[in-house]
Amino acid sequence: MASDKVRTRFAPSPTGFMHVGNLRTALYEYLIAKSLGGTFVLRIEDTDQERKVEGAVDIIYNTLKEAKLFHDEGPDIGGDYGPYVQSERKDIYLPYAKQLIDEDKAYYCFCTKERLDSLRENSDDIGAGYDRHCRNLPKEEVQRLLDSGTPYVIRQKMPLEGSTTFEDSVFGTITVDNSELQDQILIKADGYPTYNFANVIDDHTMNITHVVRGCEYLSSTPKYNLLYEAFGWEIPTYVHLPLIMGKNDDGSVSKLAKRHGATSFQDLVKAGYLPEAIINYIALLGWCPKDNREMFTIEELIENFSIDGISKSPAVFDYDKLEWFNGEYIKAMSVEKFAEISMPYFKQAVPSKELDWIKVASILQQRTTKLTQIPEKIAFFEKQPEYEKDLFVNKKSKTTLENSAPLLKAAIEALDAMPEWTHDSIHDCLIELAQKLEVKNGTVMWPVRIAASGMAVTPGGAVEILDILGKEESMQRLNNGLAKLA
Ligand code: GLU
């Protein structure tokens, strides 16, 4: 007996990447299930054997794990409604198709590929499709062809008149004329079901209550409903999600594609975005909380999410906005956590040194909005870039090529005389020097920072950089700077 408990399913095809549209679908399914005390199911839709990609299922598992969308049932953890991989369910579908044939709601089609190709070629109407040639073959003829082993597919017998209407929770009432519906294939020549058939059988046999998916499936849904009706099954609640668009250079928008930027979860992570920020951002791509709030943890999303907040207007993926979210997430974490997630980037930029990474993290954290910005910001710790001595000239700090040399010399002497090399001792030493020389602090700090880094712009100031570099390296660099000025 079916229970009333809410059950949603994420049903990705293993294509080798997780498009943000798919991830948003997974997120909304997860949120609907969790906010209503329901169950979130993972089902792998791999009936398109030609499109199978090695390792693609692992990408699905890893993405859900990284995004913290934990499923309650699925191929890896089991459940009462398995198997959860369509190719392992192959034998389930055919009896259902045969039932429809017996009830005259489906039929065997023996048309060859050549015939179908020529139909397509000879038609002016691109959407014309199959001409229903086998729809009314005499029973004996069907039997003869079956007995002789003629390859076949099974097609759904669409009503030729009338219309089909259904309610979508987001898009409202949708009606199509049945005359527009093709006699779609349910079982392919290789014995596998089509997505169109399998999704209905699976959703029903897995007791799915809410079908959440992209609006590209909206126009096919009447066909699915005719199947539900043919079997006498209850139709699930449909939640079709708006398109995700990307901004074009000319200001127009079109369906989000690679040319707009990273479009898969993995590529976004590679581009330096945090899973939490991606999830928070895409939660708002098509859903609006009642109070226009922006920052949500996954728990807060569960608390606040509701289907009636989903909009049917296309959502525009704004990379700048995502970067803003990312920056907020970076700022809000502990410096230890930031150091931990930044470590691959630290090691990439500074492979040969063991720096105090917490200190490195602390000068970066407030000014990093994407982790990929890190390497170029800290590469100078590994090796100082070649720099022009003009860098020592700075109007605001009142430094010139002339005064930089004596300032640097005085700083080198004062720093060298310090009994210990700590952030505070470096700080106090340079401040005292500025007082002694009766110049602004910046007038001392500027040439020191330039000589230490070789960069006009650095994360952290002179004191932080010297502290991280350590005395030996610092002295060497400051002396090199002095030599450059001589
Ligand atoms: N396997 C389909 C896809 O990846 C799922 C569609 C659905 O959720 O029903 O697009």
Side-chain angles (χ1 to χ4, degrees), residues 71-106:
H71 49 285
D72 305 302
E73 294 172 24
D76 51 342
I77 51 176
D80 292 342
Y81 298 85
Y84 293 91
V85 179
Q86 279 182 337
S87 57
E88 293 168 21
R89 299 171 66 79
K90 197 175 166 198
D91 297 338
I92 296 177
Y93 308 106
L94 191 60
Y96 284 109
K98 290 204 166 143
Q99 180 188 335
L100 293 181
I101 292 179
D102 291 344
E103 295 171 4
D104 201 27
K105 291 163 182 165

Coordinates of all heavy atoms in Angstrom, one line a residue, residues 71-106:
H71 N 21.3 11.5 0.2 CA 20.1 10.7 -0.1 C 19.8 9.6 0.9 O 20.7 9.1 1.6 CB 20.2 10.2 -1.5 CG 21.4 9.4 -1.9 ND1 22.6 10.1 -2.1 CD2 21.6 8.1 -2.0 CE1 23.5 9.2 -2.4 NE2 23.0 8.0 -2.3
D72 N 18.5 9.3 1.0 CA 18.1 8.3 2.0 C 18.0 6.9 1.4 O 18.0 5.9 2.1 CB 16.7 8.7 2.5 CG 16.7 10.1 3.1 OD1 17.5 10.3 4.0 OD2 15.9 10.9 2.6
E73 N 17.8 6.9 0.1 CA 17.8 5.6 -0.6 C 18.6 5.8 -1.9 O 18.5 6.9 -2.5 CB 16.4 5.2 -1.0 CG 15.5 4.9 0.2 CD 14.0 4.6 -0.2 OE1 13.8 4.3 -1.4 OE2 13.2 4.9 0.7
G74 N 19.2 4.8 -2.4 CA 20.0 4.9 -3.7 C 20.8 3.7 -3.9 O 20.9 2.8 -3.1
P75 N 21.5 3.6 -5.1 CA 22.2 2.4 -5.5 C 23.3 2.1 -4.5 O 23.5 0.9 -4.2 CB 22.8 2.8 -6.8 CG 22.2 4.0 -7.3 CD 21.5 4.7 -6.1
D76 N 23.9 3.1 -3.9 CA 25.1 2.8 -3.0 C 24.6 2.4 -1.6 O 25.4 1.8 -0.8 CB 26.0 4.0 -3.0 CG 25.3 5.3 -2.7 OD1 24.0 5.4 -2.9 OD2 25.9 6.3 -2.3
I77 N 23.4 2.9 -1.2 CA 23.0 2.6 0.2 C 21.7 1.7 0.3 O 21.3 1.3 1.4 CB 22.7 3.9 1.0 CG1 21.8 4.8 0.2 CG2 24.1 4.6 1.3 CD1 21.5 6.1 1.0
G78 N 21.2 1.4 -0.9 CA 20.0 0.5 -0.9 C 18.7 1.2 -0.4 O 18.7 2.4 -0.4
G79 N 17.7 0.4 -0.1 CA 16.4 0.9 0.3 C 15.4 -0.1 -0.1 O 15.7 -1.1 -0.7
D80 N 14.1 0.2 0.2 CA 13.1 -0.8 0.0 C 12.6 -0.9 -1.5 O 11.7 -1.7 -1.8 CB 11.9 -0.5 0.9 CG 12.2 -0.7 2.4 OD1 13.2 -1.5 2.6 OD2 11.5 -0.2 3.2
Y81 N 13.0 0.1 -2.3 CA 12.4 0.2 -3.6 C 13.4 -0.1 -4.7 O 13.3 0.3 -5.9 CB 11.8 1.5 -3.8 CG 10.6 1.8 -2.9 CD1 10.9 2.3 -1.6 CD2 9.3 1.5 -3.2 CE1 9.9 2.5 -0.7 CE2 8.3 1.8 -2.3 CZ 8.6 2.3 -1.1 OH 7.5 2.5 -0.2
G82 N 14.5 -0.8 -4.4 CA 15.6 -1.0 -5.4 C 15.2 -2.0 -6.4 O 14.1 -2.6 -6.4
P83 N 16.1 -2.3 -7.4 CA 17.3 -1.6 -7.6 C 17.1 -0.1 -8.0 O 16.0 0.2 -8.5 CB 18.0 -2.3 -8.8 CG 17.1 -3.4 -9.2 CD 15.8 -3.4 -8.4
Y84 N 18.1 0.7 -7.8 CA 18.0 2.1 -8.0 C 18.8 2.6 -9.3 O 19.0 3.8 -9.5 CB 18.5 2.9 -6.8 CG 17.5 2.7 -5.6 CD1 17.8 1.7 -4.7 CD2 16.4 3.6 -5.4 CE1 16.9 1.5 -3.6 CE2 15.6 3.4 -4.3 CZ 15.8 2.3 -3.5 OH 15.0 2.2 -2.4
V85 N 19.2 1.6 -10.0 CA 19.9 1.9 -11.3 C 19.0 1.3 -12.4 O 18.6 0.1 -12.4 CB 21.3 1.3 -11.4 CG1 21.9 1.6 -12.7 CG2 22.1 1.8 -10.2
Q86 N 18.6 2.1 -13.4 CA 17.6 1.6 -14.3 C 18.1 0.4 -15.1 O 17.3 -0.5 -15.4 CB 17.2 2.8 -15.3 CG 16.2 3.7 -14.7 CD 15.7 4.8 -15.6 OE1 16.4 5.2 -16.5 NE2 14.5 5.3 -15.3
S87 N 19.4 0.4 -15.5 CA 19.8 -0.8 -16.2 C 19.7 -2.1 -15.5 O 19.5 -3.1 -16.0 CB 21.3 -0.6 -16.7 OG 22.1 -0.4 -15.6
E88 N 19.6 -2.0 -14.1 CA 19.4 -3.2 -13.3 C 17.9 -3.5 -13.1 O 17.6 -4.5 -12.5 CB 20.1 -3.0 -11.9 CG 21.6 -2.9 -11.9 CD 22.2 -2.4 -10.6 OE1 21.5 -2.5 -9.6 OE2 23.3 -2.0 -10.7
R89 N 17.1 -2.6 -13.6 CA 15.7 -2.8 -13.5 C 15.1 -3.2 -14.9 O 13.8 -3.3 -15.0 CB 15.0 -1.4 -13.1 CG 15.4 -0.9 -11.8 CD 14.9 0.5 -11.5 NE 13.5 0.6 -11.4 CZ 12.8 0.3 -10.3 NH1 13.4 -0.2 -9.3 NH2 11.5 0.4 -10.3
K90 N 16.0 -3.5 -15.8 CA 15.5 -3.8 -17.2 C 14.3 -4.7 -17.3 O 13.4 -4.4 -18.1 CB 16.7 -4.4 -18.0 CG 16.6 -4.3 -19.5 CD 17.8 -4.8 -20.1 CE 17.5 -5.1 -21.6 NZ 18.5 -6.0 -22.2
D91 N 14.3 -5.7 -16.5 CA 13.2 -6.7 -16.6 C 11.9 -6.3 -16.1 O 10.9 -6.9 -16.3 CB 13.6 -8.0 -15.9 CG 14.9 -8.6 -16.5 OD1 15.1 -8.3 -17.7 OD2 15.6 -9.4 -15.8
I92 N 11.9 -5.2 -15.3 CA 10.7 -4.6 -14.7 C 9.8 -4.0 -15.8 O 8.6 -4.1 -15.7 CB 11.0 -3.6 -13.6 CG1 11.8 -4.2 -12.5 CG2 9.8 -2.9 -13.1 CD1 12.3 -3.3 -11.4
Y93 N 10.4 -3.4 -16.8 CA 9.6 -2.6 -17.7 C 8.8 -3.3 -18.7 O 7.6 -3.0 -19.0 CB 10.5 -1.6 -18.4 CG 11.4 -0.8 -17.4 CD1 12.7 -1.1 -17.3 CD2 10.8 0.2 -16.6 CE1 13.5 -0.4 -16.4 CE2 11.6 0.9 -15.7 CZ 13.0 0.6 -15.6 OH 13.8 1.3 -14.7
L94 N 9.4 -4.4 -19.3 CA 8.7 -5.1 -20.4 C 7.3 -5.6 -20.1 O 6.3 -5.4 -20.8 CB 9.6 -6.2 -20.9 CG 9.2 -6.8 -22.3 CD1 9.1 -5.7 -23.4 CD2 10.1 -7.9 -22.7
P95 N 7.1 -6.2 -18.9 CA 5.8 -6.7 -18.6 C 4.7 -5.6 -18.5 O 3.6 -5.8 -19.0 CB 5.9 -7.3 -17.2 CG 7.4 -7.7 -17.1 CD 8.1 -6.7 -17.9
Y96 N 5.2 -4.4 -18.1 CA 4.2 -3.3 -18.1 C 3.9 -2.9 -19.5 O 2.7 -2.6 -19.8 CB 4.8 -2.1 -17.3 CG 4.8 -2.2 -15.8 CD1 6.0 -2.4 -15.1 CD2 3.6 -2.2 -15.1 CE1 6.0 -2.6 -13.7 CE2 3.6 -2.3 -13.7 CZ 4.7 -2.5 -13.0 OH 4.7 -2.7 -11.7
A97 N 4.9 -2.9 -20.4 CA 4.6 -2.5 -21.8 C 3.7 -3.5 -22.4 O 2.7 -3.2 -23.1 CB 5.9 -2.4 -22.5
K98 N 3.9 -4.8 -22.0 CA 3.0 -5.9 -22.6 C 1.6 -5.7 -22.1 O 0.6 -6.0 -22.8 CB 3.6 -7.2 -22.3 CG 4.9 -7.5 -23.1 CD 5.2 -8.9 -23.3 CE 6.3 -9.1 -24.3 NZ 7.2 -10.2 -24.0
Q99 N 1.5 -5.3 -20.9 CA 0.2 -5.1 -20.3 C -0.6 -4.1 -21.1 O -1.8 -4.2 -21.5 CB 0.3 -4.6 -18.9 CG -1.1 -4.4 -18.2 CD -0.9 -3.7 -16.8 OE1 0.1 -3.9 -16.2 NE2 -1.9 -3.0 -16.3
L100 N 0.1 -3.0 -21.5 CA -0.5 -2.0 -22.3 C -0.9 -2.5 -23.7 O -1.9 -2.1 -24.3 CB 0.4 -0.7 -22.5 CG 0.7 0.0 -21.2 CD1 1.6 1.2 -21.5 CD2 -0.6 0.6 -20.6
I101 N 0.0 -3.4 -24.3 CA -0.3 -4.0 -25.6 C -1.6 -4.8 -25.4 O -2.6 -4.6 -26.3 CB 0.8 -4.8 -26.1 CG1 2.0 -4.0 -26.4 CG2 0.4 -5.7 -27.3 CD1 3.2 -4.7 -26.9
D102 N -1.7 -5.6 -24.4 CA -2.9 -6.4 -24.2 C -4.2 -5.5 -24.1 O -5.3 -5.9 -24.5 CB -2.8 -7.2 -22.9 CG -1.7 -8.3 -23.1 OD1 -1.3 -8.6 -24.3 OD2 -1.3 -8.9 -22.1
E103 N -4.0 -4.3 -23.5 CA -5.2 -3.5 -23.3 C -5.3 -2.5 -24.5 O -6.1 -1.5 -24.4 CB -5.0 -2.7 -22.0 CG -5.0 -3.6 -20.8 CD -4.6 -2.9 -19.5 OE1 -4.4 -1.7 -19.5 OE2 -4.5 -3.6 -18.5
D104 N -4.6 -2.7 -25.6 CA -4.7 -1.9 -26.8 C -4.3 -0.5 -26.6 O -4.8 0.4 -27.2 CB -6.1 -2.0 -27.4 CG -6.1 -1.6 -28.8 OD1 -5.1 -1.8 -29.5 OD2 -7.1 -1.1 -29.3
K105 N -3.3 -0.3 -25.6 CA -2.9 1.1 -25.3 C -1.4 1.3 -25.8 O -0.8 2.3 -25.6 CB -3.0 1.4 -23.8 CG -4.4 1.5 -23.3 CD -4.5 1.4 -21.8 CE -5.9 1.4 -21.3 NZ -6.0 0.9 -19.9
A106 N -0.9 0.2 -26.4 CA 0.4 0.2 -26.9 C 0.5 -0.8 -28.0 O -0.4 -1.6 -28.1 CB 1.5 0.0 -25.9

